[in-house]
């Protein structure tokens, strides 16, 4: 295995008030780290241990896929958010990402509504994703179940929102919509999305 758990890129309390410190600590230290530990056990002594995390996601199914994808998805989730909720989001209003958003969704607010809808309506566990679809030359939004992610369809992930209950239950109980709204309007890292788009096109 030539990959390991990436560090949490900010303090446990950095995403408050939308995501509390206890949620971030439990989510990272127990859930995210737990997926990595299970993956290490599953790969021990196996030829698949030589593959990269992305190769495992594309090539494997069953428990190896589940845990590899959850390690990758959580790394991506932490890096889809950025501290500073008090600044109120700073959504893209100009530049390449904003132009693609307008071309694909009509407006930035239109994208936010679609993302919110995908996250709120996803049945059970999973993630809402914003991704670039190279063949169609457009941005897409989708709610994907469990550990599925856009790498499986050769798309380029730009942002994700974890809507497994462990992402919000300590803070919001069953009110997923409150968590989703806070993330979309205050915590998404649009600059990271712009960098990922620039690398993809
Ligand atoms: Fe999670």
């Amino acid at each position: 295995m030539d990959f390991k758990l990436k560090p949490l890129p900010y303090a446990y309390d950095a995403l408050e008030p939308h995501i509390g410190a206890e949620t971030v600590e439990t989510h990272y230290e127990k859930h995210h780290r737990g997926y990595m530990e299970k993956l290490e056990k599953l790969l021990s002594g196996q030829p698949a241990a030589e593959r990269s995390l992305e190769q495992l996601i594309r090539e494997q199914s069953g428990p190896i896929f589940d845990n590899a994808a959850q390690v990758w998805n959580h790394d991506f989730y932490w890096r889809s958010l950025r501290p500073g909720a008090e600044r109120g989001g700073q959504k893209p209003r100009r530049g390449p990402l904003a132009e693609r958003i307008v071309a694909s969704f009509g407006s930035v607010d239109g994208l936010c509504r679609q993302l919110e809808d995908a996250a709120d309506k996803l049945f059970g566990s999973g993630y809402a994703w914003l991704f670039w679809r190279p063949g169609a030359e457009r941005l897409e939004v989708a709610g994907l179940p469990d550990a599925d992610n856009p790498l499986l369809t050769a798309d380029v992930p730009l942002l994700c929102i974890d809507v497994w209950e462990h992402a919000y239950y300590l803070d919001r109980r069953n009110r997923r919509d409150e968590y989703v709204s806070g993330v979309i309007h205050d915590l998404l890292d649009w600059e990271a999305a712009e960098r990922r788009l620039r690398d993809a096109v």
Side-chain angles (χ1 to χ4, degrees):
M1 276 177 64
D2 64 349
F3 53 86
K4 54 187 179 186
L5 190 72
K6 291 184 188 170
L8 188 70
Y10 31 70
Y12 298 138
D13 64 356
L15 303 176
E16 290 186 345
H18 299 302
I19 309 175
E22 189 183 0
T23 295
V24 173
E25 180 172 7
T26 306
H27 200 168
Y28 178 73
E29 300 292 352
K30 304 294 182 189
H31 293 276
H32 192 178
R33 191 181 297 284
Y35 293 121
M36 179 58 95
E37 288 170 355
K38 280 183 209 139
L39 183 61
E40 285 169 349
K41 276 199 189 116
L42 288 163
L43 291 176
S44 177
Q46 301 294 320
E50 304 302 316
R51 309 299 275 168
S52 71
L53 194 54
E54 289 79 5
Q55 286 170 327
L56 291 174
I57 291 168
R58 293 190 178 102
E59 296 166 3
Q60 296 284 329
S61 57
I64 292 181
F65 167 81
D66 292 338
N67 286 284
Q70 283 294 65
V71 169
W72 194 96
N73 291 352
H74 282 93
D75 280 336
F76 197 85
Y77 169 65
W78 301 125
R79 287 161 183 79
S80 291
L81 308 180
R82 58 155 188 76
E86 71 284 356
R87 290 199 300 272
Q90 298 177 333
K91 292 172 193 163
R93 296 296 174 195
R94 60 186 66 82
L97 177 61
E99 288 165 17
R100 302 277 189 179
I101 289 172
V102 170
S104 301
F105 304 102
S107 66
V108 173
D109 291 339
L111 160 62
C112 290
R113 280 194 295 273
Q114 281 203 33
L115 206 47
E116 203 157 354
D117 204 46
D120 287 344
K121 288 185 179 163
L122 182 66
F123 186 75
S125 299
Y127 299 75
W129 296 89
L130 170 65
F131 55 91
W132 173 249
R133 176 152 282 174
E137 295 287 296
R138 57 174 284 123
L139 297 167
E140 301 269 359
V141 162
L144 300 180
D146 303 324
D148 285 5
N149 73 36
L151 299 180
L152 297 170
T153 44
D155 295 312
V156 180
L158 301 182
L159 293 170
C160 80
I161 305 169
D162 187 341
V163 292
W164 285 58
E165 281 188 346
H166 62 229
Y168 59 88
Y169 211 82
L170 284 173
D171 299 317
R172 307 284 183 176
R173 301 297 179 207
N174 62 323
R175 300 185 304 279
R176 180 193 285 187
D177 58 325
E178 292 180 7
Y179 154 78
V180 166
S181 176
V183 167
I184 289 177
H185 296 292
D186 284 346
L187 294 177
L188 285 180
D189 188 343
W190 297 100
E191 289 176 7
E194 179 132 27
R195 283 196 302 277
R196 291 163 185 152
L197 179 66
R198 206 182 306 135
D199 290 344
V201 296

